[in-house]
């Protein structure tokens, strides 16, 4: 495979074989059945694996020859989707190919989408973890999302939708995926970290937001534990409108720009976690508002803003 080519034809097990097709969100199925699915949508969930599998299942439904509200799994089109050989399905996954979101390959994607589909009546492009596309890259895609070639569908996935540019976000319909069932998540975490104690599993389960990969990373890596603890302390401070608590929790990480950016992203993740919100008595609407406030602050971090001021702005804006 050439560098920065989308994955089509994941033949090996690592690339993809979709063994379990996760259910699609109900509104997506309804729109599919009615043939009214919007051409650009974004799936949001904490788990990259769940996002990717769901996006593939959605692509399958769009390419399936039965044309129902989910893929049949039996027709030639579905079989090709399942083994990653459908020529009209493009999957961009930055975890598989680190250069896939460079400008050059996004330009190629754009050109590719203007070509006629090979087999199906439509094309589907999956952009996995689209928040990792730079602002410049997102701008490059803006026009094609706005006026897409006929019968082209964009499926963005994101762990945090607010990391997409507001101009992009306003043009896609977002759907949050329900998190994995706690028992499934716990089982998967145990597989990933067989040495974990029951107590460690419980702690990680509460904080991972239904993403077993996140839970495993939390159990294994002390630096990640520290970051999650600081983010949780910030969340507690926001819930109590105690600015001092927020400032004090963020201060140790303000010396390291990358670490601080990761802290804000973790805070956004924890704000989306209903179990934690309940513990700290933070209403869902307040949490959603704080999450939306974090996105512009992250852009300020990228533009070299003074980090203690960013934290001060966060407390100020979340209090309103
Ligand atoms: Zn089918």
């Amino acid at each position: 495979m050439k560098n920065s080519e989308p994955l089509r034809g994941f033949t090996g097990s690592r690339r993809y074989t979709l063994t379990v097709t996760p259910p699609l969100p109900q509104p997506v199925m309804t729109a599919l059945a009615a043939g009214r699915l919007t051409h650009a949508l974004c799936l949001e969930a904490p788990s990259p694996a769940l996002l990717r599998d769901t996006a593939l299942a959605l692509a399958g439904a769009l390419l399936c020859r039965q044309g129902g509200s989910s893929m049949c799994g039996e027709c030639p089109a579905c079989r090709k989707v399942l083994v990653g050989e459908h020529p009209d399905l493009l999957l961009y996954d930055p975890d598989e190919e680190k250069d896939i979101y460079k400008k050059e390959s996004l330009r190629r994607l754009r050109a590719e989408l203007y070509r006629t589909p090979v087999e199906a009546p439509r094309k589907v492009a999956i952009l996995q973890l689209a928040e990792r596309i730079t602002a410049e890259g997102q701008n490059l895609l803006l026009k094609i999302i706005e006026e897409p070639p006929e019968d082209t569908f964009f499926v963005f996935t994101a762990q945090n939708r607010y990391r997409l540019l507001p101009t992009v976000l306003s043009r896609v319909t977002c759907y949050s995926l329900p998190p994995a069932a706690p028992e499934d998540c716990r089982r998967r975490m145990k597989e990933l970290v067989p040495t974990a104690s029951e107590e460690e599993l419980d702690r990680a389960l509460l904080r991972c937001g239904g993403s077993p990969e996140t839970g495993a990373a939390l159990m294994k890596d002390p630096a990640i534990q520290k970051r999650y603890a600081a983010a949780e302390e910030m969340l507690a401070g926001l819930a109590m409108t105690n600015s001092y608590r927020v400032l004090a929790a963020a201060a140790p990480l303000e010396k390291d720009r990358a670490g601080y950016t990761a802290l804000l992203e973790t805070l956004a993740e924890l704000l989306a976690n209903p179990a934690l919100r309940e513990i700290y008595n933070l209403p869902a609407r307040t949490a959603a508002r704080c999450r939306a406030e974090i996105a512009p602050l992250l852009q300020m971090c990228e533009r070299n803003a003074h980090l203690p001021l960013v934290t001060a702005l966060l407390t100020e804006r979340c209090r309103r």
Side-chain angles (χ1 to χ4, degrees):
M1 189 170 67
K2 269 190 290 168
N3 255 354
S4 308
E5 288 293 327
L7 298 168
R8 51 170 143 201
F10 323 57
T11 40
S13 57
R14 193 176 82 89
R15 287 271 166 81
Y16 102 52
T17 339
L18 195 59
T19 41
V20 185
T21 43
L24 299 174
Q26 191 54 50
V28 173
M29 302 229 300
T30 310
L32 269 170
R36 277 198 325 251
L37 190 70
T38 144
H39 67 269
L41 51 91
C42 177
L43 305 174
E44 187 187 38
S47 160
L50 176 68
L51 283 171
R52 192 164 103 153
D53 288 354
T54 310
L56 287 166
L58 173 57
L62 283 163
L63 297 168
C64 174
R65 295 196 185 166
Q66 310 282 346
S69 60
S70 57
M71 65 191 296
C72 76
E74 304 286 332
C75 73
C78 280
R79 285 210 299 272
K80 284 186 184 172
V81 169
L82 287 173
V83 294
E85 279 172 5
H86 201 297
D88 296 317
L89 168 60
L90 298 158
L91 171 67
Y92 278 54
D93 186 343
D95 282 337
E96 290 289 348
E97 169 58 65
K98 68 176 171 43
D99 290 338
I100 201 72
Y101 286 149
K102 290 242 166 96
K103 253 189 327 191
E104 243 345 276
S105 79
L106 292 175
R107 283 214 181 88
R108 269 207 301 273
L109 167 73
R110 231 173 27 175
E112 176 78 32
L113 291 174
Y114 282 109
R115 278 191 217 129
T116 343
V118 182
E119 280 179 18
R122 52 179 62 134
K123 288 191 172 209
V124 184
I126 297 173
L127 289 104
Q128 164 82 345
L129 304 178
E131 66 257 79
R132 294 204 202 155
I133 307 175
T134 59
E136 198 186 0
Q138 292 186 45
N139 275 319
L140 208 67
L141 294 175
L142 200 55
K143 197 166 160 48
I144 196 169
I145 302 170
E146 224 169 6
E147 292 166 39
E150 217 180 323
D151 288 322
T152 296
F153 286 83
F154 284 94
V155 183
F156 292 87
T157 75
Q159 290 176 294
N160 179 0
R161 67 174 80 172
Y162 296 111
R163 289 291 273 150
L164 297 173
L165 292 181
T167 41
V168 172
L169 197 55
S170 68
R171 285 170 178 84
V172 300
T173 312
C174 287
Y175 300 94
S176 297
L177 302 181
E183 55 277 18
D184 292 343
C185 187
R186 198 189 165 93
R187 187 178 334 112
R188 181 74 190 121
M189 285 193 321
K190 183 120 187 133
E191 280 165 22
L192 293 168
V193 190
T195 52
S197 70
E198 295 304 306
E199 197 194 329
E200 285 172 321
L201 284 167
D202 286 340
R203 277 189 61 78
L205 185 63
L206 177 61
R207 284 157 185 89
C208 73
S211 163
E213 300 92 336
T214 305
L218 246 172
M219 289 188 287
K220 283 192 291 196
D221 188 334
I224 296 181
Q225 281 162 14
K226 210 171 123 190
R227 189 175 80 225
Y228 271 75
E232 190 171 330
E233 180 64 16
M234 289 171 83
L235 183 142
L238 290 174
M240 299 163 68
T241 51
N242 180 338
S243 301
Y244 179 80
R245 203 165 160 182
V246 180
L247 294 165
L253 283 121
E254 283 164 354
K255 290 165 213 88
D256 159 26
R257 195 163 289 273
Y260 183 83
T261 307
L263 174 69
L264 287 191
E265 281 175 340
T266 305
L267 175 61
E269 193 183 306
L270 296 184
L271 285 165
N273 179 331
L276 270 188
R277 282 202 310 261
E278 199 179 314
I279 288 179
Y280 291 103
N281 206 3
L282 182 68
R285 281 181 65 170
T286 315
R289 214 189 58 231
C290 294
R291 264 189 104 201
E293 292 294 351
I294 290 175
L297 298 177
L298 282 165
Q299 282 163 20
M300 286 178 66
C301 295
E302 280 160 22
R303 290 193 303 263
N304 278 336
H306 183 56
L307 299 180
L309 281 181
V310 176
T311 316
L313 266 180
L314 172 77
T315 59
E316 165 72 24
R317 290 183 183 173
C318 288
R319 207 164 8 167
R320 272 182 290 171

